[in-house]
Amino acid sequence: MLDLKKLQNDFDGVAAKLKNKKLDEALLKDLSEIFTLLKKEKTLLEELQAFQNKFSKELANAENKEELKQKLSENKTKISTQNQKVKEFEERLESLAFKIPNIPDDDVVVGEDEDANLELKRVLTPPSFDFEPREHFELGEKLEWLDFVRGVKIAQSRFCVLKEEGALLNRALINYMIDFNRSRGFKLVNVPFLVNENAMFGTGQLPKFKDDMYKVEEEDLYLISTSEIALTNLFNDEILSAENLPLKMTAYSACFRKEAGSAGRDTRGIIRQHQFEKVELVSITSPKQSQSVFNEMCECASDLLSSLGLAHRWVMLCTGDLGFSAAKTIDLEVWLPGQNKYREISSISNCRDFQARRAKIRYKNEQGKNELVHTLNGSSLAVGRTLVAIMENYQDKDGKIAIPDVLRKYF
């Protein structure tokens, strides 16, 4: 959630940054109007309180004691009424603030959409082929690894069944990713795939992305769209010890998204599914640790791709392409020969104290005061997309798929 104190101290500066993040102009206008009205009502309240404080002290020695006592009584009633007004405006401001995205970091490139994203570097060289490389869905159907027809039959479009070596490779990737992340100091956590509304609110999925979530009828439960939700909210409304930070976690989960608004995008294959799997990285840090842990998470996901022999690049998202809760995001995009382009396979974000404010996650700082933690999350990696990348990068002209050396023991 947006820091309302920061908004009050520098409304124009914060508003300018939010405009760069493509905040709806009408929402920003509403925010400005409520903020202005709240300021006015607070000023009136402060004037009434100042009157009460000043003349309460003078009451004992006042010549017109009864008259002043009457005025103070009337003023006290006005204070009570004005307090209620201020409270109502604060609640309206807070309710609106829940819909406002995080403020981008100062070093994030200003841009309208993904075309303005900044490539930072490339890692490894894409393979060359003496034949026309196929896309993963062609390879998957030929090898009978991917069964789209039966996936649709038992569910609907954007569902797929993995079979035989395809299913084995998928499982091998999950186990390898977990082992790799644990070797980098991320502790394995097994979380529920269903969470309550409070958890969804804590990480920013609600109310903004309600239409993209699967909800269990007549229950306060939602299917998670990422294990970031469950991992971060493990510490919802808690005060952590500074000596225990940073907390670095990894988790496997199935993920569920309605993919609202994605009609016509990636309709073939398993790039964009309603149900998919991810191995996630989540860190809870102090503000001082935040940037170094962010770099560590980016390196971990990148090194994981390199260990699989997959060429990829680092891309910093511009302000207009940043996610709702993110202050800064670096995407890792893997090379897909079948598509002849790089595609996102991991997204690592630093949310600063935005989620912590919503989820009330704090720690005792050096001065012994409660301070908001910083929360970070990243895919390490999207399992289905890694499967796609291996199929396309390790194919031969006969349509067979070689297995990266690091995965062989998992078979």
Side-chain angles (χ1 to χ4, degrees):
M1 178 177 145
L2 195 66
D3 184 350
L4 295 180
K5 286 183 181 178
K6 186 180 286 188
L7 186 69
Q8 290 169 5
N9 294 334
D10 182 21
F11 184 88
D12 291 339
V14 172
K17 289 186 175 182
L18 290 172
K19 280 183 181 178
N20 290 335
K21 207 168 178 182
K22 296 168 66 176
L23 178 66
D24 189 317
E25 291 282 348
L27 199 57
L28 195 57
K29 185 182 177 183
D30 289 345
L31 191 68
S32 177
E33 287 176 355
I34 293 174
F35 176 74
T36 303
L37 289 168
L38 174 61
K39 204 171 181 181
K40 180 183 174 184
E41 298 299 339
K42 273 190 170 180
T43 300
L44 288 173
L45 176 61
E46 287 165 4
E47 289 172 356
L48 292 169
Q49 289 171 331
F51 178 92
Q52 197 76 9
N53 291 335
K54 180 182 177 182
F55 290 103
S56 291
K57 292 174 183 176
E58 297 178 5
L59 182 62
N61 302 317
E63 293 179 5
N64 53 341
K65 190 176 289 185
E66 289 304 317
E67 184 183 343
L68 184 55
K69 190 183 283 187
Q70 178 64 28
K71 284 183 178 179
L72 285 170
S73 177
E74 290 171 359
N75 192 67
K76 190 175 182 181
T77 303
K78 288 179 183 178
I79 288 175
S80 178
T81 303
Q82 193 61 25
N83 253 323
Q84 188 58 38
K85 266 189 177 182
V86 168
K87 185 181 178 183
E88 286 172 4
F89 275 109
E90 284 177 339
E91 287 174 353
R92 283 177 64 187
L93 183 63
E94 187 177 74
S95 178
L96 193 60
F98 292 152
K99 301 174 185 177
I100 305 295
N102 199 357
I103 302 168
D105 282 356
D106 290 337
D107 62 343
V108 173
V109 179
V110 176
E112 184 69 19
D113 53 34
E114 61 184 21
D115 293 334
N117 291 344
L118 177 65
E119 181 179 308
L120 300 177
K121 65 177 178 179
R122 297 191 179 195
V123 181
L124 302 183
T125 304
S128 57
F129 298 91
D130 57 4
F131 59 92
E132 187 70 29
R134 299 179 178 90
E135 291 199 53
H136 73 280
F137 48 81
E138 296 178 70
L139 295 163
E141 287 180 319
K142 182 182 177 184
L143 294 167
E144 297 185 358
W145 287 13
L146 307 177
D147 192 335
F148 298 104
V149 173
R150 289 183 174 85
V152 172
K153 181 171 72 173
I154 62 173
Q156 63 178 43
S157 61
R158 295 191 188 274
F159 285 89
C160 180
V161 175
L162 298 182
K163 296 160 69 174
E164 293 298 333
E165 285 82 1
L168 287 170
L169 178 55
N170 190 77
R171 183 172 179 174
L173 282 167
I174 293 165
N175 290 332
Y176 176 63
M177 290 175 187
I178 288 171
D179 287 350
F180 189 94
N181 294 341
R182 290 185 68 222
S183 75
R184 294 298 184 94
F186 292 86
K187 294 183 178 180
L188 179 62
V189 183
N190 194 19
V191 295
F193 296 172
L194 288 156
V195 297
N196 58 36
E197 184 173 328
N198 187 52
M200 283 287 192
F201 172 81
T203 43
Q205 278 70 30
L206 293 179
K208 175 73 173 176
F209 302 106
K210 186 176 182 179
D211 291 343
D212 222 13
M213 301 293 113
Y214 285 101
K215 187 179 188 306
V216 180
E217 280 190 42
E218 298 179 7
E219 296 235 21
D220 180 25
L221 288 172
Y222 291 80
L223 287 164
I224 59 172
S225 54
T226 165
S227 57
E228 164 208 342
I229 301 166
L231 287 170
T232 304
N233 281 285
L234 290 174
F235 307 98
N236 191 300
D237 202 15
E238 289 189 23
I239 300 172
L240 307 172
S241 300
E243 56 266 28
N244 292 333
L245 300 179
L247 291 167
K248 302 193 305 182
M249 300 167 284
T250 187
Y252 156 80
S253 75
C255 305
F256 307 87
R257 289 181 192 162
K258 289 183 179 178
E259 291 291 350
S262 66
R265 297 177 62 192
D266 301 306
T267 53
R268 298 194 68 184
I270 59 171
I271 291 286
R272 196 178 300 276
Q273 297 274 280
H274 290 308
Q275 176 185 314
F276 55 98
E277 294 167 300
K278 274 203 302 175
V279 174
E280 191 81 1
L281 298 175
V282 165
S283 296
I284 312 289
T285 76
S286 69
K288 287 180 181 178
Q289 299 163 335
S290 182
Q291 187 58 45
S292 63
V293 173
F294 177 71
N295 295 338
E296 187 181 338
M297 290 169 67
C298 291
E299 292 288 352
C300 181
S302 179
D303 290 348
L304 176 53
L305 280 168
S306 294
S307 73
L308 291 166
L310 296 172
H312 58 283
R313 64 178 184 173
W314 293 42
V315 177
M316 180 190 286
L317 300 194
C318 71
T319 54
D321 202 29
L322 272 180
F324 180 78
S325 298
K328 184 176 185 177
T329 297
I330 288 179
D331 274 4
L332 301 182
E333 297 182 350
V334 69
W335 177 254
L336 296 183
Q339 294 190 23
N340 195 38
K341 64 167 121 176
Y342 288 97
R343 294 296 304 268
E344 178 201 336
I345 195 168
S346 176
S347 197
I348 301 104
S349 297
N350 192 337
C351 299
R352 303 296 177 187
D353 60 9
F354 184 82
Q355 291 179 328
R357 186 172 289 103
R358 296 170 76 100
K360 300 176 184 175
I361 309 172
R362 296 140 292 166
Y363 79 106
K364 290 280 184 189
N365 64 20
E366 294 170 356
Q367 290 73 43
K369 294 182 179 179
N370 292 342
E371 185 177 350
L372 292 169
V373 299
H374 280 194
T375 63
L376 304 90
N377 63 81
S379 312
S380 180
L381 303 158
V383 180
R385 294 193 179 195
T386 311
L387 179 70
V388 167
I390 288 173
M391 291 173 71
E392 293 196 11
N393 282 277
Y394 282 87
Q395 63 179 294
D396 66 18
K397 62 182 179 182
D398 296 323
K400 294 179 181 177
I401 313 293
I403 301 300
D405 290 341
V406 293
L407 295 179
R408 291 183 181 274
K409 68 177 182 179
Y410 295 93
F411 276 78

